[in-house]
Each structure stands twice: as C-alpha cells, then as structure tokens.
Amino acid sequence: MPINEALFAAMKAASYIKPNAGKSYKLQRVAEELIAKQAPANPKCRVEDISAPMADGYAVPLRVFTPLVAYGAPLPEALEESSANDTPVASAISAILPAVLPKVLPKIPIKESTSSGNTGSIPDDSGTEISVITPHGTILFFHGGGWATGGINLYTQACAHMAVRLQRRVIAVEYRLAPEYRFPTAVEDCYEVARQLFAGELPISGVGGSVDVDHPQSAAPTAPAGGGDISATIPAPDPDSIVLFGDSAGGNLAAAVSLMARDRGEFMPRTQMLLYPVVGNDYNPETSPFESVRTNGTDYILTAQDMADYIDMYRSSVADLTNPYFAPLTAHDLSNQPRTLVLSAEYCPLRDEDEAYARRLQLVNDNVSCYRIHDGIHGYLLNTSAVGLVATTYRIIEHFLDDTPLEPAPGTGTTANAPEGGDAWQDVLGTD
C-alpha cells in the first residue's frame, strides 16, 4: 500500500538529517524526558511508582497503571474537554480528580478477573453514575528504544491509554539501559520482574507486601491527588491473566523472557504480544536475509544503520549475536512458548524478521497470530499523529485477548485480510 507522498518525503528527509543512533542516544534521552514532562495526566487511570529488587542490589523502577473507569465511560464534561484539547489544564487534571471521583473510590476493592464485561458504578457528586471497572488481567510492559533509550516516563501516556483501553492493569518496567549496562542486564532485569509478578511478590497496592519508600529507586504509591487510601485494593494477579507485552526492543525482551522462563522453569507466561519486535541480529543490507532491511532501511526514521548501532551498544561480545536471549530468531527450539501475537509494520526494517519469527513459532505452537499494520512505521505507538494505526493495533489486540470481532476499519476495504485491498491490516498467517 503506497504511503502518503508528503509524509514519505518528510520521513525521508528526517531519516537523512538525523544522526545515527550510536552518536545521538544521549541527546535522545534528554529530548525524551523533555517530551515526557509535557504529557498531560490521564484522569481515568491511577498511577503508582514502585520498584523490584534485583540480586545485585539494584532496584528496577516500575510504574503501575490501574484503570479507574470503563473504556468509553465519560468523565464530567469539563474534564473531558480539558483532556481532549491537550491544554495546560489537562496536566492539572489529577489535582481536581477527587472532586469528580469521590475520595472513597481508591478504597473500593478492585478485583482481577479473566472474564469481560464486569463493571460496577458509583455516583459522583452530581449524582451521575461513573463506571468502575473490573480489570481483566495484568500486562507486564517492556518499552522500546533500542535497549538504549526510552523509559517509563516517555511511555506513561501510552501505558495509561493501554490500561484504560484494554481494561487491564499495566506494569511498565524501567530496565537498565545500554551501553552503560550491556546484555544480558536488561533481559535479566525484565525476567526477574516477571518472576516476582508471577510469584505475587511485587508490592503493588498491598500485593505481596509493602512498598519500600526509602529506596532511592522507589516511590510511594501515588493515589489520585487529594488523598485516599490506596492500600490493599488489588489482589495478586492470576498467572493465567498476565500478558507480556513489548514494542521494538521491548518486544525482544518479552520474547527473550518467555524463552528464559521455559528454560529455567520458575514460571511460564501464558500470553505474549510483540509489537514490531527486534528478533534478529543482522542489519547490514548486503548480508541480511530479510528484504525489509533493504527496502525500509533508509527512509522511515528508524534506519538499518540505527539498528546496527543499537545491536553494537547492547551486545557484550560477538557471541551474543547468536544467543537466543539476545536474538530470539536464532533459537534452535521455539517450542513451548506462550500464545503469541506478533504485529509488524509495513514500512519498518524489522517487518520481515518479525513475520519470519511468527511463522517459526507457528510451526511448533498452536496459537500464534501475526498481523502486518499497513502504512505503519517503526515506533508508531508513541506517534501522536498515528492515532489510526494505534486504534487499529488495539482492535487487533482486543480480538486476540478478548475475542472481540475483528472487522475492517471504516472506509479502508471490504475484507479484514486482503493484502492489497486497502485494509488497515493483513493477516500474515491466515489463521483467522
């Protein structure tokens, strides 16, 4: 499907002007923090910061997003308008939230369930009923950024939207970044957080113990501004309801954690979702086995050279390149993996390796789905102009997680799986 010509020209220019990732990752981190500070709060989501202790004494910061109202349920008009307009008032929504949602809201037990459609309601001060949701599960989210950039601050808006849209608690992991911390630090951080989550050891609102507020990497849970007791409201998650999810390098980490879990036998994820994940190890256009490295490796923001730089920053040695926890596509055995959703992007240099990984998984696993997002470029989850791509992605995720109908996007075609029919996605494996 041809991409918009003006957009393509802008992306191509930006791709040539910007410095390669190996030279700019520190500046990118600074820019990302500045961007994160401008993001408005989401009034439909409760946020708390905690940490998970590692064996070496470090505490990995985590941010926990708990949806407070059902997806699509309206807040009072003034708050909805402030949030939608993205005005300075939006960033202060949390300061007046208790005036909208009674202070008793955080005390209401929020039970976790694998079933859908369970909602209750409470009246606000005007007598209007506001839905209170029953989370359907927990998403453990690993952010992208080439293992060298990104972070929970940059992804806070995306994770809050994810929690409300999917009606699940989201736990975002601030794993240690390369090149300061090279492989396998990031994947070991993510694995240990996952192990603690499956064991019920994370201190989330009374789950498995209290929050260590004295540790420099930890913060006390954050209730909706104005107070309210947030303790003892969420039970330990049902392992069957936990989903590993990651985009880009985070998708790599999710896939690697699943392989580690199978090999180590301490826990086993039931479900994983990989959004344009890094699963390969060769981004040289002359040697890569994947055509998308050549066709999409120069003009679509993330370049093949960027990927080569990220690989070099993350690896500790040449031997890492064939370690399946570094590059999951190199694994000789992909059996006994979770139910998997792979989402590739049409104009991403990783597209072909993502789809190859899904096909290899499908050979030895019964429940694998793979969709190509048409017109998608790498990193669109955080692109504020890509709302259509994000909406399509969530419709596919809802179909995968909750078995909701997956129908063509309005005005984009007549069938959900037509490769060239103008639809928003393509079912790569043809499993639907």
Side-chain angles (χ1 to χ4, degrees):
M1 180 186 301
I3 201 166
N4 178 279
E5 290 185 8
L7 177 59
F8 174 70
M11 287 192 300
K12 185 174 182 178
S15 300
Y16 280 95
I17 293 171
K18 73 178 184 66
N20 292 330
K23 298 178 180 179
S24 64
Y25 72 93
K26 289 184 179 179
L27 289 175
Q28 186 170 336
R29 290 177 185 175
V30 174
E32 288 173 350
E33 286 301 313
L34 291 175
I35 292 170
K37 289 179 180 179
Q38 305 304 313
N42 188 326
K44 297 183 178 181
C45 191
R46 188 179 75 199
V47 179
E48 59 181 297
D49 287 335
I50 62 171
S51 65
M54 300 293 106
D56 62 3
Y58 182 74
V60 172
L62 309 173
R63 184 158 294 164
V64 184
F65 303 83
T66 302
L68 294 177
V69 295
Y71 176 64
L75 287 174
E77 190 173 317
L79 291 184
E80 286 286 9
E81 290 178 356
S82 297
S83 179
N85 292 335
D86 197 21
T87 65
V89 176
S91 63
I93 285 177
S94 61
I96 55 176
L97 186 58
V100 181
L101 303 179
K103 292 183 179 180
V104 71
L105 177 59
K107 299 179 183 179
I108 296 175
I110 302 177
K111 298 178 181 179
E112 194 166 74
S113 169
T114 56
S115 63
S116 60
N118 296 323
T119 61
S121 63
I122 59 173
D124 70 1
D125 291 341
S126 66
T128 302
E129 296 225 330
I130 300 174
S131 297
V132 179
I133 64 97
T134 299
H136 302 165
T138 298
I139 293 174
L140 186 61
F141 181 75
F142 309 125
H143 68 79
W147 308 282
T149 64
I152 57 178
N153 289 336
L154 183 66
Y155 277 77
T156 286
Q157 259 195 318
C159 287
H161 177 68
M162 185 189 307
V164 176
R165 175 68 190 249
L166 298 179
Q167 298 289 272
R168 284 166 169 83
R169 178 176 56 195
V170 174
I171 303 173
V173 182
E174 184 93 308
Y175 55 86
R176 283 173 280 188
L177 299 178
E180 294 87 350
Y181 296 94
R182 293 177 179 266
F183 178 82
T185 301
V187 68
E188 292 289 358
D189 283 352
C190 293
Y191 175 86
E192 177 58 18
V193 171
R195 188 201 64 75
Q196 292 181 31
L197 176 63
F198 275 84
E201 297 174 2
L202 291 181
I204 305 169
S205 294
V207 175
S210 60
V211 177
D212 177 11
V213 298
D214 295 325
H215 195 283
Q217 294 292 340
S218 177
T222 304
D229 178 13
I230 68 169
S231 64
T233 59
I234 304 175
D238 173 4
D240 286 337
S241 75
I242 297 173
V243 178
L244 302 187
F245 185 21
D247 72 317
S248 190
N252 167 281
L253 294 169
V257 166
S258 292
L259 290 169
M260 276 185 169
R262 177 200 63 188
D263 296 342
R264 297 180 181 181
E266 295 182 287
F267 65 94
M268 192 61 224
R270 276 65 164 180
T271 307
Q272 66 177 354
M273 303 189 302
L274 315 176
L275 176 58
Y276 38 76
V278 184
V279 290
N281 59 15
D282 182 1
Y283 300 97
N284 183 336
E286 296 182 0
T287 58
S288 172
F290 299 112
E291 187 61 23
S292 61
V293 171
R294 288 175 281 278
T295 57
N296 299 338
T298 56
D299 298 334
Y300 301 96
I301 309 299
L302 178 73
T303 66
Q305 184 59 56
D306 287 334
M307 284 307 308
D309 289 351
Y310 286 132
I311 289 287
D312 285 343
M313 284 191 283
Y314 184 42
R315 68 177 177 87
S316 297
S317 68
V318 174
D320 292 338
L321 296 175
T322 53
N323 186 321
Y325 304 151
F326 183 95
L329 192 56
T330 68
H332 297 296
D333 179 10
L334 290 177
S335 64
N336 299 317
Q337 286 300 278
R339 179 175 177 242
T340 300
L341 172 64
V342 178
L343 293 163
S344 66
E346 182 176 8
Y347 296 107
C348 173
L350 310 180
R351 182 195 66 207
D352 292 351
E353 70 180 59
D354 293 344
E355 295 170 8
Y357 190 65
R359 291 188 180 97
R360 281 202 56 205
L361 282 170
Q362 187 188 39
L363 292 175
V364 289
N365 297 278
D366 293 333
N367 207 335
V368 180
S369 299
C370 180
Y371 295 87
R372 179 186 297 181
I373 306 300
H374 286 166
D375 288 342
I377 64 169
H378 192 88
Y380 69 75
L381 183 68
L382 295 182
N383 189 334
T384 55
S385 65
V387 290
L389 299 176
V390 174
T392 294
T393 296
Y394 277 119
R395 288 167 59 215
I396 293 172
I397 288 174
E398 288 165 339
H399 174 66
F400 176 74
L401 292 179
D402 301 324
D403 201 28
T404 59
L406 184 58
E407 299 174 352
T412 61
T414 58
T415 64
N417 304 318
E420 301 298 336
D423 288 324
W425 64 81
Q426 173 186 346
D427 181 0
V428 173
L429 301 181
T431 53
D432 277 2

